[in-house]
Amino acid sequence: MSVVARRKELIWLMYFAVAVFGVVMIFIGNEISQKIIGGVLLIVSAVILIQYFMIPPIAIIRDERNRLHLPKGITLDPKDIVDVSYRRASAKGVQYKWGSIVIITATAKYKCRYIADCEHVSKIITDIVYKSKSADINIFQ
């Protein structure tokens, strides 16, 4: 077994800070609009933190037969994968190295969020897929 993708560490600190700021706005805000904005910040940050901590620290694993093991017990054979893409996280025109990986099969679409170095991970998975498909072609020649 080898690690293909890891969850980006310390992102939770950013969202935790936003949640704390939301709580501060709720309690210290003078106007109702400040309290509403604080509540929205708190709720959105809480949802993101829950999503983040539901992802295991090692998000994608490759086994001896090159099958990919995703969170929630999902196992994918590389031959079934149709497309692999990534989307980097960005804010105010700045792109970060972490982001989401999207793996598409003929029957489903799987998205892994908060992945460290998502571009590199996407290339690794694409390489695994092409090598497994080219190995099948070479058998019949």
Coordinates of all heavy atoms in Angstrom, one line a residue, residues 18-19 21-23 25-26 32-48:
V18 N -12.1 32.1 11.4 CA -13.3 32.7 10.8 C -14.5 32.5 11.7 O -15.3 33.3 11.9 CB -13.6 32.3 9.4 CG1 -14.9 32.8 8.8 CG2 -12.4 32.7 8.5
A19 N -14.6 31.2 12.2 CA -15.7 30.9 13.1 C -15.6 31.7 14.4 O -16.7 32.2 14.9 CB -15.7 29.4 13.5
F21 N -14.2 34.7 14.7 CA -14.6 36.0 14.3 C -16.1 36.2 14.2 O -16.7 37.2 14.6 CB -13.9 36.4 13.0 CG -14.2 37.8 12.5 CD1 -13.7 38.9 13.1 CD2 -15.0 38.0 11.4 CE1 -14.0 40.2 12.7 CE2 -15.3 39.3 10.9 CZ -14.8 40.4 11.6
G22 N -16.8 35.1 13.7 CA -18.2 35.1 13.6 C -18.9 35.2 15.0 O -19.8 36.0 15.2
V23 N -18.4 34.4 15.9 CA -18.9 34.5 17.3 C -18.7 35.9 17.9 O -19.6 36.4 18.6 CB -18.2 33.4 18.2 CG1 -18.5 33.6 19.6 CG2 -18.6 32.0 17.7
M25 N -18.5 38.7 16.3 CA -19.4 39.6 15.7 C -20.8 39.4 16.2 O -21.6 40.4 16.4 CB -19.5 39.4 14.2 CG -18.3 40.0 13.4 SD -18.4 39.9 11.7 CE -19.7 41.1 11.3
I26 N -21.2 38.2 16.6 CA -22.5 38.0 17.1 C -22.7 38.7 18.5 O -23.7 39.3 18.8 CB -22.8 36.5 17.3 CG1 -23.0 35.8 15.9 CG2 -24.1 36.2 18.1 CD1 -23.1 34.3 15.9
I32 N -28.0 44.8 13.9 CA -28.6 43.4 13.6 C -27.9 42.9 12.4 O -27.6 41.6 12.3 CB -30.1 43.5 13.4 CG1 -30.7 42.1 13.4 CG2 -30.5 44.2 12.2 CD1 -30.7 41.3 14.7
S33 N -27.5 43.7 11.4 CA -26.8 43.2 10.2 C -25.4 42.6 10.6 O -25.0 41.6 10.0 CB -26.6 44.3 9.2 OG -25.8 45.3 9.7
Q34 N -24.7 43.2 11.6 CA -23.4 42.6 12.0 C -23.7 41.2 12.7 O -22.9 40.3 12.5 CB -22.8 43.6 13.0 CG -22.3 44.8 12.4 CD -21.8 45.9 13.4 OE1 -22.1 45.8 14.6 NE2 -20.9 46.8 12.9
K35 N -24.7 41.1 13.5 CA -25.0 39.9 14.1 C -25.4 38.8 13.1 O -25.0 37.6 13.2 CB -26.1 40.0 15.1 CG -25.7 40.9 16.3 CD -26.8 41.0 17.3 CE -26.4 42.0 18.5 NZ -25.4 41.5 19.3
I36 N -26.1 39.2 12.1 CA -26.5 38.2 11.0 C -25.3 37.8 10.2 O -25.1 36.6 10.0 CB -27.5 38.9 10.1 CG1 -28.9 39.0 10.8 CG2 -27.7 38.0 8.8 CD1 -29.9 39.8 10.0
I37 N -24.4 38.7 9.9 CA -23.1 38.4 9.2 C -22.3 37.4 10.1 O -21.7 36.4 9.6 CB -22.4 39.6 8.8 CG1 -23.1 40.4 7.7 CG2 -21.0 39.3 8.3 CD1 -22.6 41.7 7.3
G38 N -22.2 37.7 11.3 CA -21.5 36.9 12.3 C -22.1 35.5 12.3 O -21.3 34.5 12.3
G39 N -23.4 35.4 12.3 CA -24.0 34.1 12.3 C -23.8 33.3 11.1 O -23.5 32.1 11.1
V40 N -23.8 34.0 9.9 CA -23.5 33.3 8.6 C -22.1 32.8 8.6 O -21.8 31.7 8.2 CB -23.8 34.3 7.5 CG1 -23.3 33.7 6.2 CG2 -25.3 34.6 7.4
L41 N -21.1 33.7 9.1 CA -19.7 33.2 9.1 C -19.6 32.0 10.0 O -18.8 31.1 9.7 CB -18.8 34.4 9.6 CG -18.6 35.5 8.7 CD1 -17.8 36.6 9.4 CD2 -17.8 35.1 7.4
L42 N -20.2 32.0 11.1 CA -20.1 30.9 12.1 C -20.7 29.6 11.5 O -20.0 28.6 11.5 CB -20.8 31.2 13.4 CG -20.9 30.1 14.4 CD1 -19.5 29.8 14.9 CD2 -21.7 30.5 15.6
I43 N -21.8 29.7 10.8 CA -22.5 28.5 10.3 C -21.6 27.9 9.1 O -21.4 26.7 9.0 CB -23.9 28.8 9.8 CG1 -24.8 29.0 11.1 CG2 -24.5 27.7 9.0 CD1 -26.1 29.6 10.8
V44 N -21.2 28.8 8.2 CA -20.4 28.4 7.0 C -19.1 27.7 7.5 O -18.7 26.7 7.0 CB -20.2 29.5 6.1 CG1 -19.2 29.1 5.0 CG2 -21.5 29.9 5.4
S45 N -18.4 28.4 8.4 CA -17.2 27.8 9.0 C -17.4 26.5 9.6 O -16.6 25.6 9.5 CB -16.5 28.8 9.9 OG -16.2 30.0 9.3
A46 N -18.4 26.4 10.4 CA -18.7 25.1 11.1 C -19.0 24.0 10.1 O -18.4 22.9 10.3 CB -19.9 25.3 12.0
V47 N -19.7 24.3 9.0 CA -19.9 23.2 8.0 C -18.6 22.8 7.3 O -18.4 21.6 7.1 CB -21.0 23.8 6.9 CG1 -21.0 22.8 5.7 CG2 -22.3 23.9 7.6
I48 N -17.8 23.8 7.0 CA -16.5 23.5 6.4 C -15.6 22.7 7.3 O -15.0 21.7 6.9 CB -15.8 24.8 5.9 CG1 -16.6 25.4 4.7 CG2 -14.4 24.5 5.5 CD1 -16.1 26.7 4.2

